Amino acid sequence: MDNVTIVENCNDAAIADWLAARLGDALSASTGPVTITVPGGSTPFPIIEALLAHDLDWTRLVVWPGDDRVVPEDHAASNTGRLRDLFEPAGAEVVTLTEMEAVPRFSLAWLGMGTDGHIASLFPNTDPRVDDPRRIVRLTPDPLPPEAPFDRISLTMPALLASDALLFVIRGEEKRAIFEQALVGKHDFPVARLLGAAKQPVTCFT
Ligand SMILES: O=C1O[C@H](COP(=O)(O)O)[C@@H](O)[C@H](O)[C@H]1O
């Protein structure tokens, strides 16, 4: 796919630099808010810590979790709670996902990926579609991931695709192989469906 760039062996600081440059450009291009979506799990948080060391106008940044576990925000598994703890002291706004929200277009949709090919909380068992009329869904993964055995709330494929750019950060050989197989149509996991429909630039840091 011509729109996909894979950058290998990139450390967290270098990814944070890339994000700061991209967000800086978006902030300079307008005087209004810049809205992004950010993954949960374990991978993004050290990158976000490094990102927040950059000198940007964080008060104009609006952060949407791409997905969350259906737990209170003060639960250790809450993506939203962890994002709030990092971004809010810098002055950024963090949105709580609910099924009622109207979803904006994102300057950047940053995603992780599971070894089952799930993105956000769009797990294979939920058969996520690029033409889903909904923008946010509640769902139950099956099987439940042992490290986070909770119901989920998630942006849908069309909500993620309504973005100027897509960013993946995936760590480990197993995930790298699944991502590359998705690019060449070797499976139909959620990541493959998203990449198959993406027209915007996609950057994948491994
Ligand atoms: O459950 C989730 O897992 C994926 C991957 O997380 P990681 O720990 O392997 O980085 C993540 O992208 C998603 O947002 C999260 O809720």
Side-chain angles (χ1 to χ4, degrees):
M1 291 177 188
D2 292 347
N3 59 329
V4 179
T5 304
I6 297 179
V7 184
E8 297 183 44
N9 301 319
C10 211
N11 65 30
D12 289 349
I15 298 170
D17 290 347
W18 183 94
L19 278 162
R22 174 136 211 129
L23 294 179
D25 288 347
L27 289 163
S28 300
S30 83
T31 54
V34 168
T35 305
I36 63 171
T37 180
V38 171
S42 56
T43 307
F45 296 104
I47 300 169
I48 294 168
E49 284 181 33
L51 171 64
L52 287 166
H54 286 260
D55 184 20
L56 294 177
D57 183 1
W58 298 111
T59 64
R60 288 174 48 213
L61 187 72
V62 181
V63 179
W64 285 62
D67 69 306
D68 210 347
R69 296 81 187 263
V70 180
V71 294
E73 286 192 11
D74 61 359
H75 191 291
S78 169
N79 293 336
T80 310
R82 296 185 71 185
L83 293 173
R84 215 177 274 298
D85 288 348
L86 288 171
F87 279 108
E88 286 187 342
E93 179 187 348
V94 176
V95 172
T96 297
L97 289 185
T98 74
E99 285 165 292
M100 302 306 290
E101 293 284 354
V103 177
R105 183 176 179 85
F106 297 107
S107 293
L108 177 71
W110 174 7
L111 292 162
M113 188 192 76
T115 50
D116 57 358
H118 84 263
I119 49 165
S121 276
L122 304 175
F123 288 81
N125 77 294
T126 63
D127 191 23
R129 303 291 180 124
V130 295
D131 61 354
D132 193 326
R134 300 164 298 175
R135 293 296 176 269
I136 298 180
V137 283
R138 251 184 97 133
L139 52 92
T140 302
D142 181 13
L144 278 175
E147 70 282 5
F150 307 105
D151 278 359
R152 307 295 184 106
I153 188 163
S154 182
L155 297 176
T156 60
M157 295 276 186
L160 295 166
L161 287 165
S163 55
D164 296 339
L166 290 166
L167 166 66
F168 285 83
V169 182
I170 54 171
R171 299 302 197 192
E173 285 307 312
E174 189 180 6
K175 287 187 183 181
R176 166 76 187 260
I178 289 163
F179 188 88
E180 289 187 343
Q181 288 160 5
L183 292 174
V184 294
K186 286 253 175 74
H187 57 69
D188 183 40
F189 294 153
V191 63
R193 294 184 183 189
L194 185 89
L195 290 169
K199 301 283 181 265
Q200 61 271 69
V202 179
T203 305
C204 177
F205 290 107
T206 69

